[in-house]
Amino acid sequence: MAQYDKADVERRMAGAVEALKSDLGGLRTGRANTSLLDPVQVDVYGAMMPLNQVATVNAPEPRMLAVQVWDKANVSAVEKGITKANLGLNPMTDGQTVRLPMPDLTEERRKELAKLAGQYAEKAKIAIRNVRRDAMESLKADEKKKEISEDERKRMEEEVQKLTDSHVAEADAAAEKKEQEILTQ
């Protein structure tokens, strides 16, 4: 049975791009974005839980996030979790709602965030290239076991390279878009 699976290679490369987009969504631009709070963990009921499992997050205004905590007993834990996440946000509590005004980004902070977006993209491209390497190795193994011919291997390697190029380009485009968003807000 052949080891090379084009659908699996495509799925893994697309997964790397999706992970990148998710990471980029967490980078703060000047605008309020609910995905900014995705990495926040809250210590409630004796365990660490993602913020979205104890509260509803929305963006009522372009420069404000509102966190509606479901259980009044968890409000201070949510505040602590947001502060600990080190996102540069200053929580203000109003009953069961924690408001997070978005501070203006300094030029220096914008450059740091843009650089971070580039690092995220590089990480995604490395993951994509690792998938390519695995695919190339399994194609060579398939050829060695006489399951595919040399011509088939070369044709499939070209296919894998095209997949790699398109996913790397998609990762670059996503990072470029995010960098522009950060630097032009």
Side-chain angles (χ1 to χ4, degrees), residues 73-86:
N74 294 334
V75 173
S76 69
V78 166
E79 253 187 81
K80 279 186 193 135
I82 292 168
T83 306
K84 250 191 212 162
N86 204 9

Side-chain angles (χ1 to χ4, degrees), residues 120-137:
Y120 285 168
E122 197 49 46
K123 203 169 74 178
K125 291 192 293 192
I126 289 168
I128 292 167
R129 288 193 288 264
N130 287 341
V131 173
R132 177 189 63 193
R133 187 195 61 227
D134 294 348
M136 296 298 197
E137 284 172 3

Side-chain angles (χ1 to χ4, degrees), residues 13-132:
M13 286 183 179
V17 173
E18 283 312 305
L20 168 66
K21 287 179 179 174
S22 169
D23 286 348
L24 291 175
L27 283 182
R28 190 159 68 90
T29 59
R31 260 191 221 107
N33 184 342
T34 57
S35 64
L36 178 64
L37 297 178
D38 286 351
V40 175
Q41 294 284 316
V42 182
D43 188 2
V44 289
Y45 312 119
M48 292 305 278
M49 297 175 86
L51 178 66
N52 63 10
Q53 290 185 7
V54 294
T56 306
V57 180
N58 59 31
E61 301 168 30
R63 300 186 64 80
M64 171 84 67
L65 285 174
V67 180
Q68 185 66 43
V69 185
W70 301 327
D71 182 348
K72 197 173 184 105
N74 294 334
V75 173
S76 69
V78 166
E79 253 187 81
K80 279 186 193 135
I82 292 168
T83 306
K84 250 191 212 162
N86 204 9
L87 299 169
L89 300 175
N90 193 9
M92 298 183 312
T93 307
D94 175 17
Q96 277 182 250
T97 304
V98 178
R99 298 190 189 290
L100 301 163
M102 294 284 126
D104 286 331
L105 292 174
T106 63
E107 190 61 35
E108 191 178 309
R109 182 72 179 134
R110 285 180 196 281
K111 286 180 180 156
E112 279 174 33
L113 289 170
K115 194 193 270 182
L116 194 56
Q119 289 170 359
Y120 285 168
E122 197 49 46
K123 203 169 74 178
K125 291 192 293 192
I126 289 168
I128 292 167
R129 288 193 288 264
N130 287 341
V131 173
R132 177 189 63 193

